[in-house]
Amino acid sequence: METVTVTDVDDAEVVKRSRADPECFSVLFDRYFVPLHRYASRRLGGTTGDDVAAETFLVAFRERGRFDPARGSVRAWLYGIATNLIRGHHRAEVRGYRAYARAAAEPVYSAEEERVDARLTAAAAREVLVAALAELSPGDRDALLLVVWGELGPRGDGRGARHPSWHGRLPALPGASPAAGRTR
Amino acid sequence: MDELEQLARARPVAPPSAQTIARSRAALIQLAGGRPARNRRVMNLRARILVPVAATVLAVATGVAVTMLKGGTGAPNASPSASPSMPAAARAWDSANAPQLLLVAAEQAQQEEAPGTGTYWVSTIEHGWLIPTGAGNNQYTLRLRRTEITWKPLVPGKDVVHISRWAGAEPLSDGDKAAWRAAGSPTSWPIEPPPGCPPDPRNVYTAEPGGSERVERSAPDARLFMIANGESLTAEQIRALPSDPVALRTWLLSVIDPRDLRNPVETGKSLFEALVDLVLNTPITPAVRSAAFRVLAGVPGIRSLGAVTDAKGRSGVAVSIERNDTVQERRADPGGPREVSLVLDPNTGAVLGRQVRALRPADYLSWVPAGAIQQYDLIEHLRWTNDEPPATPRITDEPPATPTPGGQPTTAC
């Protein structure tokens, strides 16, 4: 069963009320712009991330007449809109992941050799993962990133993010042993 | 799940700058302010009025109507009304005929001179909407109004300036006035706090217009104009739209979300809304406006409301479409069917605005009086200018957080 939080109910109420009183929609902006911006920027970076975050609310506002609380939370709905908008930029997104992984592969020198070593191991694992994002199909990438970057759990508040089919599609990672995974 | 943990920490990003937040918020507020409102009764629904028009205009209009009907996009209500054999002086235009009404407007729009030009395109639009108020058994409906003035630059290096001016509130009908008197004739009404937030006594709607203006200045997005549920266009793109109705229609169908085009009824509604956006909210040239009216004339499901008086008391004619009247639409929005209309000045082909009338309000709108104009956007002026907008600092810092009379709480709580 889904857990319906108080915020979910409140958010749905805001959408409903905004149909008659449009201005109150800004409440959702105040609640969700920053996390949505984080999600969009991690996927797209730079001004495109800014634009997508802003556009998400414009689209949501225009679509507010169609929001159906029975189909999921407002939060999931907003992330869904952002995801659709991001998909329109998928070439830039993929280029970004590859560029990020290349740039991150440049070694960082530091006096504290041991810690550098640990950091590099963890960082290397992340680079490989980010680079691997570029190879996923758009649908799989959306499903995966909604969970790990959009913080929409695959179960809990998973309305809107189905259990993704990316499982097992990420490459085996040399640096991603349990120990490395817990390195901070 | 170690990969997921790793990935969750990969590619961290900086939080949005205050300016990004402010600019994005301003865009939303502008859109939200720029949405429907309206509340006077549409007069003489579907009345037939006789408007003398030049014989040549009518002849051309009728000719085009036939062409469009042949194209398979004719409105179901279309009926030829003015016989070509009538003497020119007595020739009249049957306003109950939506396609014809639009084609006449198209002709008028075409008479307009060269497309405007200037540094800024300035629109002044009054928005009206309704809210329920009162206590206990003494509930009544308030009409709220706000004037939104938007300066959109059409040259690089200029800012968008948006000015929002509270335009007052009043009880909707005579019955509402009686209830208002019974409530002690209040001159301000509390703004209901966002769900989950405590009430803030400083947030009120006032009967009087005025109070502090909300002025927002921000660097423009390249894509200033939004139509059809999210398609954003630059000023250049708007100015370059096709003035051929068939090409314009094809273009619109290419930018409307395909999910809104699944059958002829939905297509008609989506086209109608996109065209209304276009003629109401963008600086299209007179030739494109004329083309937009011609496309509207062929939108399935369009009806004429005949002569109407808009919420600002101006005479016009209106064409409309019903929204929220299908099973799918009602599943998403249980508020009941409504009639969305485009009001035109028949003498000039100018657009007066958009009004939304609640037909059989239900569920969360059940407090709306049936037949009331629930929302409107009425144009006061659309103009081009080389003047500069009022000087005001760009938004660089915090979004405005101080509540103002007639204002809206600006934070999550």
Side-chain angles (χ1 to χ4, degrees):
Chain A
M1 279 303 290
E2 294 162 356
T3 319
V4 178
T5 67
V6 174
T7 320
D8 288 344
V9 175
D10 287 347
D11 288 345
E13 181 60 31
V14 172
V15 174
K16 194 166 117 175
R17 204 195 287 173
S18 74
R19 290 170 180 167
D21 187 358
E23 295 194 348
C24 75
F25 200 83
S26 63
V27 170
L28 295 177
F29 181 94
D30 296 329
R31 287 181 182 166
Y32 293 116
F33 182 75
V34 172
L36 271 163
H37 180 274
R38 182 167 58 233
Y39 169 67
S41 297
R42 285 180 101 174
R43 293 191 62 175
L44 292 172
T47 55
T48 318
D50 292 348
D51 289 349
V52 163
E55 187 99 352
T56 297
F57 287 90
L58 302 182
V59 172
F61 178 79
R62 291 190 162 228
E63 294 278 318
R64 72 195 188 284
R66 293 190 204 181
F67 169 74
D68 181 356
R71 279 188 271 158
S73 68
V74 169
R75 191 163 162 269
W77 174 61
L78 291 171
Y79 276 91
I81 292 170
T83 302
N84 281 339
L85 293 172
I86 290 167
R87 204 173 289 176
H89 298 278
H90 89 272
R91 280 164 204 272
E93 183 188 12
V94 165
R95 264 199 312 275
Y97 294 142
R98 291 185 178 137
Y100 172 84
R102 270 198 307 275
E106 301 292 325
V108 180
Y109 295 102
S110 160
E112 305 166 79
E113 303 233 333
E114 268 177 48
R115 290 185 52 199
V116 168
D117 215 40
R119 260 204 319 261
L120 281 180
T121 311
R126 288 197 285 268
E127 287 145 29
V128 174
L129 281 165
V130 170
L133 292 174
E135 312 309 325
L136 290 177
S137 77
D140 288 349
R141 190 163 51 232
D142 289 344
L144 171 62
L145 294 180
L146 274 169
V147 175
V148 294
W149 287 353
E151 293 149 31
L152 292 182
R155 283 181 300 276
D157 179 26
R159 292 158 293 164
R162 289 194 203 305
H163 205 313
S165 58
W166 40 261
H167 220 65
R169 299 220 193 164
L170 287 171
L173 298 171
S177 68
R182 291 196 185 94
T183 308
R184 286 239 167 222
Chain B
M1 288 290 161
D2 299 299
E3 288 98 334
L4 294 190
E5 284 175 26
Q6 293 257 6
L7 188 57
R9 272 185 248 125
R11 211 186 193 197
V13 290
S17 69
Q19 187 170 4
T20 298
I21 296 177
R23 193 174 80 171
S24 308
R25 196 173 197 288
L28 175 66
I29 296 297
Q30 190 176 325
L31 179 67
R35 280 290 96 181
R38 143 56 172 178
N39 84 45
R40 222 195 253 202
R41 291 294 302 260
V42 174
M43 309 295 289
N44 302 327
L45 183 65
R46 291 182 69 71
R48 293 162 73 95
I49 54 164
L50 297 178
V51 179
V53 293
T56 49
V57 170
L58 189 62
V60 171
T62 311
V64 176
V66 169
T67 310
M68 298 208 60
L69 288 168
K70 272 192 196 148
T73 56
N77 293 344
S79 62
S81 59
S83 151
S85 63
M86 285 169 79
R91 204 164 273 177
W93 155 40
D94 172 7
S95 75
N97 180 332
Q100 194 186 52
L101 186 155
L102 285 160
L103 293 166
V104 173
E107 279 305 313
Q108 295 299 330
Q110 228 159 26
Q111 306 303 311
E112 227 177 278
E113 287 151 41
T117 172
T119 313
Y120 291 93
W121 186 69
V122 186
S123 71
T124 305
I125 295 185
E126 182 177 299
H127 303 295
W129 70 104
L130 303 179
I131 59 161
T133 191
N137 289 332
N138 196 39
Q139 301 280 333
Y140 57 100
T141 302
L142 270 187
R143 170 188 9 209
L144 309 179
R145 285 188 298 242
R146 194 185 272 290
T147 306
E148 311 276 353
I149 306 160
T150 311
W151 295 65
K152 293 193 172 177
L154 299 168
V155 297
K158 302 282 187 184
D159 289 342
V160 175
V161 174
H162 181 71
I163 301 162
S164 181
R165 200 173 279 163
W166 181 244
E170 66 193 14
L172 176 64
S173 66
D174 288 346
D176 294 312
K177 278 198 184 77
W180 167 71
R181 274 187 222 103
S185 307
T187 55
S188 70
W189 298 266
I191 297 178
E192 201 185 325
C197 296
D200 181 340
R202 291 170 303 171
N203 286 326
V204 292
Y205 293 117
T206 58
E208 282 301 304
S212 60
E213 282 182 351
R214 216 158 51 188
V215 183
E216 282 154 356
R217 172 186 284 265
S218 54
D221 277 326
R223 298 168 306 155
L224 272 181
F225 301 98
M226 199 153 129
I227 66 156
N229 273 349
E231 180 73 7
S232 301
L233 300 172
T234 64
E236 292 73 37
Q237 287 172 311
I238 289 285
R239 302 294 282 175
L241 288 177
S243 55
D244 168 58
V246 175
L248 183 63
R249 189 175 188 279
T250 305
W251 174 79
L252 283 165
L253 292 174
S254 76
V255 298
I256 295 171
D257 189 329
R259 288 171 298 179
D260 296 339
L261 300 170
R262 279 181 289 214
N263 59 55
V265 174
E266 275 186 45
T267 300
K269 294 175 182 197
S270 304
L271 267 176
F272 182 88
E273 296 277 13
L275 284 158
V276 170
D277 277 345
L278 206 57
V279 298
L280 197 60
N281 298 324
T282 73
I284 48 174
T285 61
V288 176
R289 183 148 46 93
S290 177
F293 291 150
R294 288 174 205 276
V295 178
L296 265 179
V299 165
I302 198 164
R303 297 193 319 162
S304 171
L305 300 181
V308 301
T309 303
D310 74 16
K312 293 178 71 63
R314 303 173 301 187
S315 305
V317 293
V319 293
S320 73
I321 201 151
E322 255 187 59
R323 291 307 309 256
N324 223 35
D325 57 340
T326 66
V327 174
Q328 291 107 311
E329 282 177 303
R330 277 189 215 178
R331 206 161 34 219
D333 182 348
R338 57 199 68 134
E339 168 199 275
V340 183
S341 63
L342 176 69
V343 187
L344 305 167
D345 179 339
N347 299 315
T348 61
V351 174
L352 297 181
R354 173 183 191 267
Q355 305 195 132
V356 180
R357 201 158 66 96
L359 297 174
R360 291 181 295 285
D363 194 72
Y364 69 97
L365 291 178
S366 50
W367 53 270
V368 176
I373 298 293
Q374 183 192 324
Q375 305 172 309
Y376 65 78
D377 312 319
L378 292 177
I379 295 177
E380 291 182 4
H381 309 284
L382 296 181
R383 65 187 178 103
W384 293 84
T385 182
N386 292 321
D387 296 346
E388 283 297 315
T392 183
R394 253 194 197 193
I395 300 164
T396 51
D397 226 351
E398 293 293 287
T402 325
T404 57
Q408 192 71 18
T410 53
T411 53
C413 262

